Amino acid sequence: MASSEEDGTVEEKENNNKRRTKSALATAWLTFYNIAMTAGWLVLAIAMMRFYIQKGTTKGLYRSIARTLKFFQTFALVEVGHCAIGIVRTSVIVTGVQVCSRIFMVWFVTNSIRQIQSEESVILFLVVWTMTEITRYSYYTFNLLHHLPYFIKWARYNLFIVLYPLGVIGELMTIYAALPFVRRSGMYSMRLPNKYNVSFDYYYCLIIVMLSYIPLFPQLFFHMLRQRRRVLHGEVIVEKDD
Ligand SMILES: CCCCCCCCCCCCC/C=C/C(=O)SCCNC(=O)CCNC(=O)[C@H](O)C(C)(C)COP(=O)(O)OP(=O)(O)OC[C@H]1O[C@@H](n2cnc3c(N)ncnc32)[C@H](O)[C@@H]1OP(=O)(O)O
């Protein structure tokens, strides 16, 4: 009994702190931001479906949505800012890795190497990202408005179990497909001798990025599993600070 009373007090204190922290201005901005991002990813979903229905192929799909994708995915950088200034209770590192790896995939892999844009793996990660982001941003929006339908909460904290690994498979296969083109073209690479006396090989950089998924992905995935237990099952999780 005593422990449940204590739990109640802790929860009340936490809620009061939360309310104080999220100022009206921050809440207004986050609501606007999340609505805009939900709309952006919905536009992407509709554009992809329309393209496929009209053309009957995914060839050329990336080009048709590239501008919108680059805009909304790059804009997600502000989320790292949200964590840094403390208006959302999320780790800067976790969010930073997630957002930067996506931006890297969009700008430095898919957008830079035309020959891989029609790969099925590109379509795979695009579909997975789109489903994830529509669910995630609508979850945040409804949560901020205190009218969160259970199915959105359920989807936010269950779909990732399948979508996260699928997204990673799509991303890794895309980078793998890019390797021969990068090696042949020598893009983004600097060979010696040059006036800066620096050498950089983008081919090996991509291999290192692929290898970095091995330690980083499990951490992001287990973070989401902890969030799932906290939100869906009410477990109190003590996370280490950044
Ligand atoms: C430079 C090159 C680098 C290369 C490095 C490569 C290595 C990369 C390895 C990893 C690769 C990952 C690749 C990713 C692929 C995919 O995305 S596949 C698609 C499937 N993915 C997912 O399902 C995961 C999607 N990602 C996320 O959910 C997030 O990015 C996250 C950071 C992992 C989420 O964590 P977190 O924010 O902690 O979880 P939440 O439960 O959602 O939020 C916690 C609290 O914060 C509040 N909040 C967060 N954001 C907002 C917001 N915008 N607006 C309002 N509120 C927000 C949220 O409500 C929670 O609040 P409380 O309930 O009060 O605690």
Side-chain angles (χ1 to χ4, degrees), residues 52-202:
Y52 188 71
I53 291 165
Q54 282 172 4
K55 313 258 179 201
T57 174
T58 53
K59 209 168 165 17
L61 188 149
Y62 175 79
R63 274 283 122 200
S64 76
I65 54 119
R67 252 185 340 157
T68 319
L69 173 72
K70 283 186 281 184
F71 177 81
F72 284 101
Q73 188 53 65
T74 310
F75 200 62
L77 268 176
V78 303
E79 274 166 58
V80 183
H82 291 163
C83 309
I85 60 173
I87 60 171
V88 298
R89 295 191 317 155
T90 308
S91 146
V92 179
I93 295 173
V94 174
T95 307
V97 171
Q98 173 76 44
V99 173
C100 291
S101 71
R102 292 267 197 98
I103 288 176
F104 181 79
M105 273 313 295
V106 171
W107 285 99
F108 296 99
V109 181
T110 319
N111 204 62
S112 301
I113 307 157
R114 211 172 250 273
Q115 294 90 328
I116 59 159
Q117 287 169 0
S118 293
E119 290 285 330
E120 278 162 10
S121 56
V122 172
I123 309 303
L124 175 63
F125 79 69
L126 283 179
V127 170
V128 165
W129 287 9
T130 307
M131 288 173 71
T132 302
E133 298 307 46
I134 293 171
T135 315
R136 187 164 76 95
Y137 290 117
S138 46
Y139 168 85
Y140 294 146
T141 306
F142 287 115
N143 201 20
L144 284 167
L145 298 172
H146 305 292
H147 285 288
L148 178 63
Y150 184 76
F151 80 92
I152 293 185
K153 184 174 175 177
W154 183 92
R156 163 72 183 133
Y157 290 104
N158 279 299
L159 291 185
F160 80 90
I161 296 171
V162 175
L163 293 180
Y164 227 157
L166 280 180
V168 166
I169 291 170
E171 293 173 29
L172 288 176
M173 283 171 64
T174 304
I175 303 178
Y176 185 73
L179 289 175
F181 299 104
V182 172
R183 176 159 247 182
R184 228 174 293 141
S185 65
M187 64 188 292
Y188 301 146
S189 301
M190 279 174 93
R191 308 234 184 276
L192 288 170
N194 61 56
K195 65 176 176 177
Y196 306 105
N197 210 20
V198 170
S199 133
F200 175 75
D201 197 323
Y202 188 51

Side-chain angles (χ1 to χ4, degrees), residues 207-227:
I207 292 176
I208 293 169
V209 168
M210 287 175 84
L211 291 175
S212 71
Y213 275 63
I214 299 169
L216 293 176
F217 170 62
Q219 296 197 38
L220 294 178
F221 191 75
F222 283 112
H223 168 81
M224 284 306 293
L225 285 178
R226 282 195 296 274
Q227 295 293 67

